[in-house]
Amino acid sequence: MSLKTQIDAFEVQKKANVPADILNLMDVTTEKLIAEQLSEHALKVGDKFPAFELPDSKGKQISSTELLTKGPLVLSFYRGGWCPYCNLELRALNNMQQAFADQNAQLVAVSPQLPDESLSTQQQNELAYTVLSDVSNSLAKKCGLVFTLDERLIPVYDQLGLDIPKANGDESYELPLPATYVIDSQGVIQFAFAHEDYTLRAEPLDVLNAVKALNHV
């Protein structure tokens, strides 16, 4: 089943269970973010991806230099384990983890969550790949992905039990756009997806095909 099919099914459930006024506010704030065209300033194919060193879910520092010595890097930015769309994407990538490994691709997910929160996300989704903590969105900012959650959504998120300050360790409410990059051994982006609409995600099969194309150049 494609990731889009899974997300479409979740959308049906959400519309059946979430009050109409909240759904409307989510739509309005998403449309506002789309209008700001933040993704136009995000890193694109052909750009050099910034070198980084971030802690994994157990606190070990992981560097992009180290990862790229092993093969292409597939990097997926997600908002947090509190986001159901992110969890669907994380699991969909995990289901294809072996296919990525067969292409010598290193699959890595990145969020602004603290390492302990990243560990919870990794365990709850039974992820077999590396999950990194980009605290304060330092890497996401270099990629042009960061926005501040619309203040109108803060009480709604509180009502839904989504505690972003606890997950991220700050009160900024800064989040990354969902984004996926395929980066070659020279650190150059060969596939890029970023969108202001958090319900839209890169299809894992498209990402895998980008890796395969890279390996056959």
Side-chain angles (χ1 to χ4, degrees):
M1 186 185 300
S2 71
L3 176 56
K4 184 181 185 305
T5 299
Q6 295 176 59
I7 289 176
D8 287 347
F10 175 77
E11 283 283 288
V12 172
Q13 293 178 357
K14 186 175 80 170
K15 288 174 181 175
N17 295 310
V18 177
D21 59 332
I22 291 179
L23 291 174
N24 181 63
L25 179 59
M26 289 177 171
D27 288 342
V28 167
T29 53
T30 297
E31 288 166 6
K32 178 176 178 287
L33 192 59
I34 291 172
E36 293 173 4
Q37 298 183 315
L38 181 63
S39 63
E40 291 298 311
H41 304 287
L43 292 181
K44 296 178 173 57
V45 171
D47 289 337
K48 187 86 169 179
F49 197 86
F52 64 83
E53 186 171 305
L54 297 171
D56 66 12
S57 57
K58 296 181 180 178
K60 179 185 176 184
Q61 292 294 319
I62 304 294
S63 74
S64 54
T65 303
E66 175 189 355
L67 291 168
L68 288 170
T69 61
K70 302 173 183 177
L73 176 58
V74 176
L75 199 66
S76 178
F77 285 91
Y78 69 103
R79 304 193 305 164
W82 49 267
C83 169
Y85 299 89
C86 296
N87 290 323
L88 286 172
E89 181 180 22
L90 292 171
R91 290 194 292 268
L93 287 168
N94 195 62
N95 289 339
M96 297 182 67
Q97 196 272 339
Q98 187 57 53
F100 283 111
D102 290 343
Q103 297 293 321
N104 293 318
Q106 310 303 302
L107 181 57
V108 175
V110 181
S111 84
Q113 295 184 128
L114 297 169
D116 282 352
E117 295 288 333
S118 295
L119 180 60
S120 295
T121 299
Q122 189 170 34
Q123 291 175 338
Q124 288 169 6
N125 290 293
E126 300 181 337
L127 305 180
Y129 54 85
T130 301
V131 178
L132 301 179
S133 289
D134 181 28
V135 177
S136 299
N137 286 290
S138 57
L139 177 60
K141 286 175 181 174
K142 293 177 182 177
C143 298
L145 299 171
V146 178
F147 70 99
T148 301
L149 186 72
D150 192 301
E151 62 183 13
R152 291 172 291 177
L153 287 172
I154 293 175
V156 172
Y157 278 34
D158 288 343
Q159 181 182 337
L160 296 174
L162 308 179
D163 194 341
I164 295 175
K166 177 179 180 291
N168 295 357
D170 64 44
E171 300 283 340
S172 69
Y173 284 94
E174 288 184 338
L175 298 171
L177 297 181
T180 303
Y181 294 103
V182 174
I183 306 158
D184 69 18
S185 60
Q186 302 303 308
V188 177
I189 298 170
Q190 300 296 339
F191 172 94
F193 174 95
H195 205 286
E196 294 85 356
D197 185 344
Y198 61 90
T199 71
L200 301 179
R201 305 296 169 115
E203 193 63 50
L205 184 57
D206 293 339
V207 180
L208 178 62
N209 286 337
V211 172
K212 289 180 176 178
L214 182 60
N215 283 339
H216 287 91
V217 170

